[in-house]
Amino acid sequence: MLDHPEDIARAGLCSGCGGCVVAAPDKIRMEIDRTGFFRPVVSSDLSDAERLVVGSLCPGISLEHQPSQDYLPAWGPVKSCWVGHASAEDVRYVGSSGGVVTGTALYLLETGQIDFVVHVRGSTTHALENEVVFSRNRESLLGGAGSRYSPAAPAAAIPRALAEPGRFAFIGKPCDVAAVRKMLDARPELNARIPYLLSFMCAGTPSAHGTIEIIKKFSLDPAQVVEFRYRGRGWPGTTAARTKDGAEAQMDYNTAWGKILNRHLQPRCKICADGTGEFADLVGADAWYGKDGYPDFAERDGRSLVIARTLKGEGLLGNAAASGHLVVETFEPSQITPIQPYQVKRKRSLLARLLALKVMQRRTPRYKGMHLWRLAVSAGPVENLKVFLGSVKRIAGNRL
């Protein structure tokens, strides 16, 4: 069993979430490595007990769901499904889609149900990097609204957050949330301290090198950039940068993500079974418009897809809407696929990718209760064979 953070990273299974830091905060830290991803650095020997905690918390090596009637093969646990947006126009505007995740967190803060929110924002000192912050008010929370398509390790901040007084909500990528959920399952007494886990659908984490490539496309000096955003300020919003001397540049979302950032994806993300935040209480995503399975990226007022995965999450959504923080309406789960086709395709092809890794004698994550077989069968033999052969070719060329 893999139970040492550096071994997990060497095996290609680290998602960079920082969950392993929880096992030994004084011995494990997260650093950006030469490939541009967060990886654990261990400063001294871990005890057997600490290694046991690492092995149990790491979402990169295993994920598991218990059987449930609410589980949809492509989408995970679904208590209810909605579309909508934050009612406050500024929250809706700065959010990546309709600002529902930010609006929900704002509701929790303003009603006193939590004392702060643990989340990621662009660094205030190094514009091209991310930092984890503890937001206690509206201004701070909105400062972190919008997607950050670059490495972040918010789960590493959990020990610091638990050292603070009060209750907090956690917002993170699906792998970040899965790590925290594993911790809460192992230590249920902490549910009182971390009552809500919020996430968003994720297509993978691009390397920090992807951001640098965008800056170079802008013909700007990375060292001079003082403001950088990937999305937001509209839907989907533009990718934009500003330098110390006031030079500005921007590009559309489809170019930034579709032609640059997605070519720098973390290898572990390409074999992820949870791009949709299956272990969160509440998940937000883009409720794209479009037809024939292709999203339309024309600028519009933001609209979010929202999935309540737990009864707690369903109650939270209803209360946030009743309070006036959100404007939502019910949405049929069968209609998620047309507005999020990529997530279905990637999970449906995952079993073939994993088989290719095994054939090539590479390590693979362990997934249980995530219905990968059912999805693979629905893909059919031709699609599975195509994915398998393509994956073998890429693995042989170290390109998976």
Side-chain angles (χ1 to χ4, degrees), residues 301-315:
D301 291 332
R303 186 176 80 145
S304 297
L305 169 70
V306 196
I307 298 176
R309 301 209 176 278
T310 65
L311 289 175
K312 183 191 295 186
E314 188 171 49

Side-chain angles (χ1 to χ4, degrees), residues 65-394:
H65 279 298
Q66 298 301 315
S68 169
Q69 292 183 343
D70 297 321
Y71 196 95
L72 302 181
W75 303 111
V78 177
K79 293 294 183 184
S80 58
C81 188
W82 310 74
V83 291
H85 55 84
S87 58
E89 285 302 316
D90 57 343
V91 178
R92 186 180 188 182
Y93 180 68
V94 299
S96 288
S97 52
V100 164
V101 172
T102 302
T104 302
L106 185 62
Y107 159 74
L108 288 170
L109 276 178
E110 293 185 342
T111 55
Q113 296 181 57
I114 57 173
D115 298 283
F116 59 98
V117 180
V118 176
H119 64 111
V120 172
R121 73 176 179 195
S123 171
T124 55
T125 56
H126 298 87
L128 303 184
E129 300 177 7
N130 293 323
E131 63 183 6
V132 183
V133 293
F134 302 168
S135 288
R136 301 176 184 274
N137 56 54
R138 191 179 198 274
E139 181 182 7
S140 177
L141 189 64
L142 265 64
S147 295
R148 298 294 299 178
Y149 296 130
S150 56
I158 291 296
R160 287 194 294 116
L162 290 173
E164 297 280 323
R167 292 153 53 91
F168 61 93
F170 179 85
I171 302 176
K173 303 183 300 299
C175 55
D176 306 327
V177 167
V180 179
R181 178 66 72 192
K182 284 178 172 238
M183 184 189 71
L184 294 179
D185 288 344
R187 299 178 59 189
E189 73 276 9
L190 293 179
N191 280 282
R193 295 290 316 279
I194 317 174
Y196 295 104
L197 303 182
L198 308 180
S199 191
F200 40 84
M201 292 190 187
C202 174
T205 297
S207 162
H209 300 321
T211 300
I212 297 298
E213 184 177 337
I214 288 178
I215 298 301
K216 291 180 177 178
K217 292 285 187 183
F218 286 158
S219 298
L220 300 177
D221 178 359
Q224 298 300 310
V225 175
V226 294
E227 183 181 356
F228 185 85
R229 70 174 187 272
Y230 296 89
R231 285 185 62 187
R233 300 184 189 178
W235 183 51
T238 57
T239 299
R242 180 174 59 83
T243 63
K244 293 177 183 177
D245 60 6
E248 296 185 4
Q250 65 180 24
M251 68 173 62
D252 63 274
Y253 164 77
N254 197 29
T255 299
W257 174 260
K259 296 184 179 180
I260 300 176
L261 292 171
N262 73 353
R263 297 180 180 180
H264 292 267
L265 291 185
Q266 184 170 229
R268 175 60 180 79
C269 297
K270 297 177 183 179
I271 51 171
C272 177
D274 180 23
T276 63
E278 294 188 12
F279 296 87
D281 292 303
L282 205 62
V283 174
D286 291 289
W288 297 117
Y289 294 100
K291 62 180 181 178
D292 301 325
Y294 294 97
D296 176 2
F297 298 122
E299 284 291 319
R300 292 184 171 89
D301 291 332
R303 186 176 80 145
S304 297
L305 169 70
V306 196
I307 298 176
R309 301 209 176 278
T310 65
L311 289 175
K312 183 191 295 186
E314 188 171 49
L316 171 59
L317 180 65
N319 291 335
S323 73
H325 284 77
L326 304 180
V327 177
V328 293
E329 59 183 277
T330 57
F331 190 75
E332 179 58 46
S334 64
Q335 296 304 306
I336 303 176
T337 297
I339 63 175
Q340 283 288 338
Y342 174 75
Q343 295 293 350
V344 178
K345 183 177 180 180
R346 72 191 299 227
K347 193 173 180 183
R348 190 174 61 199
S349 66
L350 181 55
L351 204 61
R353 291 175 183 264
L354 295 176
L355 180 58
L357 283 165
K358 288 182 180 293
V359 167
M360 298 296 285
Q361 299 184 326
R362 304 291 179 88
R363 292 269 197 171
T364 60
R366 300 188 305 275
Y367 296 125
K368 185 176 180 180
M370 303 187 78
H371 294 237
L372 298 185
W373 276 103
R374 289 182 61 182
L375 287 168
V377 169
S378 72
V382 174
E383 182 178 332
N384 279 303
L385 181 60
K386 183 179 179 180
V387 172
F388 171 78
L389 294 176
S391 298
V392 167
K393 183 177 180 179
R394 287 190 292 273

Side-chain angles (χ1 to χ4, degrees), residues 20-36:
C20 55
V21 173
V22 172
D26 57 333
K27 299 179 181 179
I28 306 171
R29 67 183 186 277
M30 301 297 291
E31 293 184 357
I32 297 285
D33 72 359
R34 61 181 179 80
T35 67

